[in-house]
Amino acid sequence: MLFLIEYNREKGEIVNIRKFDESKKTDAESARLDLELDLRRKGTKHEVVILDAIDEARIRRTHRRYFESLEELAKAS
Amino acid sequence: MANNLNKTQVDKLGDRLRKGDITEAELRLLDDYRRSFSEAYEFVVRAIRDELGLEPTGRPAKSTTSIIEKLLRESIRLSQIQDIAGCRLVVSGIEEQNGTVTLLQKLFQRVTVVDRRKNPSHGYRAVHLIVRHEGKLVEIQVRTSLQHLWAELCEKKADVFDPLIKYGGGDSVTTALNLRFAAAIEDAELKEWQMSLADKVLSGLSARRGTLSKSKQAELDAFLKEQRTWRKKLDSYKKTIRDTLQELIAELENPDRG
């Protein structure tokens, strides 16, 4: 499963997340480029990244920073 | 297609990215360059999944933001960035980390190990393996759960407060707290690892205590006693980790924080 994430670093929050089946990798990559181009035109500085894992639970474990606030990260540890 | 760009052209693209105000054409070129790592990325992740039965989380291509930040932060060329494509494995502790690194070294023919436990980067500890596949590099990060916790907290602080925190910058209180937290984690992990090695030897010897001479039995008793002392030390290291986390939470909840 591929996860296309738009992340607002300053707020530390995910703006949007889209999921793609593993077989749709090219679609996910094209969506990433379209999103980056769109954000550039709008002058919005968000981080755009594709993550790849068998399920969302694993992404939430290995890339907690995208999903949890600093307080949540510290308290859940 | 940028897949056909030579090294000089890639580095020229990197120079333009470093200058900022990236154009649409440059964004497309960078995207093509990142996509050129797809095959190597898939080779590495598939091998880890199929041959080792492990489940890495992958990041097939570094984000534009992270690439530009790296170009600005380091005197590095775009073609030299080793983690355009990468994946991550989070394991329980040092013993499993060492075992996983050994398996990965055997799995890939052309691999370089960067042990950041020996040379931590501003408190960041982990083992990175750089695999070369058909001219492309793919980075595998192997972190213990505590090393991972440290990295996640540090990156999140860098996101919301100051990007420099990740590289040892930021305010002195945060820097000191990060380093203290990293040191507590290192102490606890090393002690736990040493204890687990000693446990194996001592339990083997204890099982055949009756066959040992009196002097060897006395030595074994002394080791077992020392092991109990170590266990108490480990508990104190773990307490330091909990205390440091509490300090961090208190710092975050401080209404006077800027």
Side-chain angles (χ1 to χ4, degrees):
Chain A
M1 182 77 79
L2 299 167
F3 301 84
L4 174 63
I5 295 174
E6 180 186 349
Y7 178 68
N8 182 333
R9 276 195 183 181
E10 282 182 11
K11 288 189 176 174
E13 291 172 357
I14 286 181
V15 178
N16 194 23
I17 181 165
R18 283 179 67 189
K19 295 170 193 176
F20 296 82
D21 188 78
E22 201 72 39
S23 61
K24 304 283 182 190
K25 189 176 181 193
T26 311
D27 291 350
E29 287 175 336
S30 298
R32 177 186 62 198
L33 177 61
D34 289 344
L35 179 56
E36 285 199 323
L37 290 169
D38 187 47
L39 290 171
R40 187 200 157 274
R41 286 178 205 121
K42 290 175 183 164
T44 308
K45 292 190 174 175
H46 288 170
E47 182 179 347
V48 179
V49 70
I50 291 175
L51 298 177
D52 161 30
I54 47 165
D55 55 37
E56 191 172 326
R58 199 165 292 264
I59 293 277
R60 286 180 176 271
R61 178 172 173 247
T62 58
H63 291 76
R64 292 173 62 184
R65 114 177 206 260
Y66 290 117
F67 297 91
E68 296 174 48
S69 70
L70 195 46
E71 288 84 350
E72 286 167 339
L73 268 174
K75 284 180 179 172
S77 303
Chain B
M1 290 285 284
N3 294 8
N4 300 323
L5 285 180
N6 62 35
K7 196 165 163 284
T8 308
Q9 289 168 316
V10 170
D11 289 333
K12 277 187 178 170
L13 172 63
D15 289 341
R16 294 200 296 273
L17 295 176
R18 193 180 273 116
K19 284 177 187 159
D21 198 22
I22 179 170
T23 67
E24 212 165 290
E26 286 159 356
L27 207 48
R28 287 181 191 279
L29 273 181
L30 179 63
D31 194 64
D32 280 344
Y33 178 61
R34 287 188 300 201
R35 288 193 202 203
S36 70
F37 286 78
S38 281
E39 202 181 313
Y41 166 81
E42 276 167 24
F43 166 79
V44 168
V45 169
R46 202 181 311 119
I48 294 173
R49 284 179 179 150
D50 295 350
E51 303 296 326
L52 302 183
L54 300 174
E55 264 308 332
T57 304
R59 192 215 52 209
K62 200 174 181 72
S63 72
T64 303
T65 313
S66 299
I67 289 174
I68 293 174
E69 280 177 355
K70 193 158 194 161
L71 289 170
L72 288 171
R73 189 176 64 245
E74 300 172 18
S75 54
I76 191 170
R77 296 194 294 271
L78 180 56
S79 65
Q80 291 176 313
I81 295 181
Q82 297 188 332
D83 62 346
I84 293 284
C87 63
R88 179 177 296 165
L89 289 159
V90 179
V91 298
S92 60
I94 295 281
E95 195 172 357
E96 193 182 346
Q97 187 175 37
N98 288 341
T100 305
V101 169
T102 303
L103 288 173
L104 291 166
Q105 281 180 286
K106 285 179 185 165
L107 182 62
F108 298 108
Q109 286 183 333
R110 303 188 69 187
V111 60
T112 307
V113 178
V114 182
D115 192 341
R116 291 195 177 200
R117 299 172 304 182
K118 290 176 185 161
N119 297 301
S121 173
H122 310 294
Y124 175 72
R125 295 170 59 249
V127 181
H128 291 188
L129 294 99
I130 315 295
V131 178
R132 180 180 287 274
H133 177 72
E134 293 181 357
K136 295 290 181 185
L137 303 178
V138 179
E139 181 188 84
I140 309 167
Q141 297 178 349
V142 186
R143 296 175 175 174
T144 66
S145 51
L146 280 174
Q147 291 164 6
H148 181 55
L149 169 64
W150 186 92
E152 292 271 27
L153 282 168
C154 189
E155 283 186 15
K156 192 77 188 186
K157 279 195 270 185
D159 285 345
V160 294
F161 296 132
D162 182 349
L164 293 175
I165 288 173
K166 210 169 149 187
Y167 307 100
D171 69 83
S172 58
V173 175
T174 303
T175 306
L177 194 60
N178 278 353
L179 290 177
R180 200 146 39 86
F181 190 32
I185 287 173
E186 183 176 7
D187 286 343
E189 284 191 332
L190 290 178
K191 189 56 75 186
E192 196 155 54
W193 179 48
Q194 288 165 348
M195 279 180 57
S196 117
L197 293 178
D199 272 343
K200 282 179 191 161
V201 175
L202 293 175
S203 67
L205 285 172
S206 296
R208 55 188 186 91
R209 183 187 175 85
T211 66
L212 300 175
S213 66
K214 288 241 181 307
S215 65
K216 290 292 175 195
Q217 284 185 13
E219 274 183 48
L220 176 60
D221 289 339
F223 279 126
L224 288 168
K225 194 177 170 188
E226 196 174 339
Q227 187 78 334
R228 284 194 288 277
T229 315
W230 280 16
R231 210 168 291 284
K232 282 183 189 164
K233 263 194 171 173
L234 177 61
D235 288 341
S236 81
Y237 291 139
K238 286 184 174 172
K239 185 177 179 306
T240 308
I241 292 175
R242 287 193 297 274
D243 289 348
T244 315
L245 272 173
Q246 285 305 317
E247 269 187 66
L248 172 65
I249 293 166
E251 189 197 343
L252 292 171
E253 289 173 347
N254 179 3
D256 298 330
R257 191 185 165 90

